[in-house]
Amino acid sequence: MDLYFLGTGAGMPSKQRNVTSIALNLLDERGTYWLFDCGEGTQQQILNSPVKLGRTEMLFITHLHGDHLYGLPGLLTSRSYLGGDTPLMLYGPRGLKSFVETALSVSGAHLTYTLQIVEIEEEGLIFEDESFQVETARLEHRIECFGFRIVEKDQPGKLMQEKLTELGIPAGPLYGKLKQGQSVQLEDGRTLHGIDFLGAPIPGRIVVILGDTRYCSGAQHLARGADVLVHEATFAMDKQELAYSFDHATSIDAARTAQEAGANALIMTHISSRYQGDAVMELLLEAQKIHSNSYIAKDFWSFEVPRKG
């Protein structure tokens, strides 16, 4: 599992940073990618990345500002051209369905796959299956905006093969059943219970990706205990009043949120174009004074999400 940053700029693209889009690489976990936001030019960024649009399973839109949304119609259409024929789930605020349907209808676009659009009405759990769940909460921005908490469920512990060998149980199909926690009966009448041959469960990882926001309780709620928190840091601290007036966060706001929520790593993105070249280090140094394990994302940069312990 890793995060791949397709666009890390704020408001409008610059020569160094395209507007917002992030891919969560889940190829090892489920053979797919999840995308978060789709600013203008996202599909072009994907062409220069390892991300495979045809293998994208879900797309989450934090809010309907153009720098997070305007790349969506082209990306949805291109997915058809690139052989994407599996269903795609699209989550986002109210108004997303109207935007997508209007853009596709007016342009005469035809999708070769099933697109299901879910407009988020309430905070809380919006997706769950046997391996992942996604929770959302409202943030504080000029329009309705959400953050997403992606939780990987705990995995069974490793099979204690040495213990089975000591009991004279040879490797084979029984190992697979025990690994799944099942009980099996041997030919000699003994019954083995999978739970007795499994190590401690492997804790799942937690990734939190926020949309644009001021420092707020919704962000803290989602970020609690996260392995990785992705938080906007549009401005440095000396632009605190400007950030507040436009409902954005500073690097200090991002670091405070990570520190108070007990998040392990903080990755800052949505960087104002005023911070070019080495100037971006101002944001990083400010954040690291509060939360030492902080990073500044850049386009085409990836971050592997570590397991606990």
Side-chain angles (χ1 to χ4, degrees), residues 123-126 133-139 147-152 204-210 216-231 254-266 291 308:
E123 298 176 298
L125 191 67
I126 61 170
Q133 65 181 37
V134 180
E135 176 188 351
T136 188
R138 285 184 172 86
L139 305 174
F148 299 98
R149 177 182 174 91
I150 304 97
V151 179
E152 179 187 32
R205 290 160 287 186
I206 301 173
V207 176
V208 176
I209 300 175
L210 304 182
C216 70
S217 60
Q220 290 180 328
H221 170 73
L222 290 177
R224 63 195 187 281
D227 294 284
V228 181
L229 167 63
V230 179
H231 196 299
R256 284 178 60 199
T257 299
Q259 189 70 11
E260 293 169 5
N264 179 25
L266 167 66
H291 189 79
K308 296 180 177 70

Side-chain angles (χ1 to χ4, degrees), residues 31 59-60 81 88 108 141 189 209 211 224 226 240 247 269 286 305:
L59 207 165
F60 300 85
Y81 300 152
L88 177 66
H141 195 48
I209 300 175
R224 63 195 187 281
Q240 178 71 56
D247 290 335
T269 187
E286 285 184 345
V305 183

Side-chain angles (χ1 to χ4, degrees), residues 129-169:
D129 65 7
E130 68 280 355
S131 55
F132 282 89
Q133 65 181 37
V134 180
E135 176 188 351
T136 188
R138 285 184 172 86
L139 305 174
E140 292 187 12
H141 195 48
R142 285 176 289 161
I143 61 174
E144 188 170 53
C145 184
F146 291 94
F148 299 98
R149 177 182 174 91
I150 304 97
V151 179
E152 179 187 32
K153 295 185 177 179
D154 293 349
Q155 299 177 7
K158 293 183 179 180
L159 186 66
M160 301 176 184
Q161 297 187 24
E162 300 85 356
K163 189 174 180 180
L164 290 167
T165 301
E166 291 174 0
L167 293 175
I169 312 299

Side-chain angles (χ1 to χ4, degrees), residues 6 35 41-53 75:
L6 295 162
L35 293 182
T42 292
Q43 62 172 317
Q44 187 68 35
Q45 298 290 94
I46 288 176
L47 290 176
N48 294 297
S49 80
V51 177
K52 303 300 181 185
L53 186 54
L75 183 141

Side-chain angles (χ1 to χ4, degrees), residues 180-193:
Q180 295 172 7
Q182 299 179 21
S183 297
V184 298
Q185 187 168 15
L186 305 180
E187 292 181 358
D188 61 11
R190 288 181 294 168
T191 299
L192 303 181
H193 303 287

Side-chain angles (χ1 to χ4, degrees), residues 22 26 34 74 105-106 113 181 229 234 252 267 292 296:
I22 303 168
L26 298 175
W34 291 3
S105 174
V106 169
Y113 55 90
L229 167 63
T234 308
I252 295 295
I267 300 177
S292 59
I296 293 280

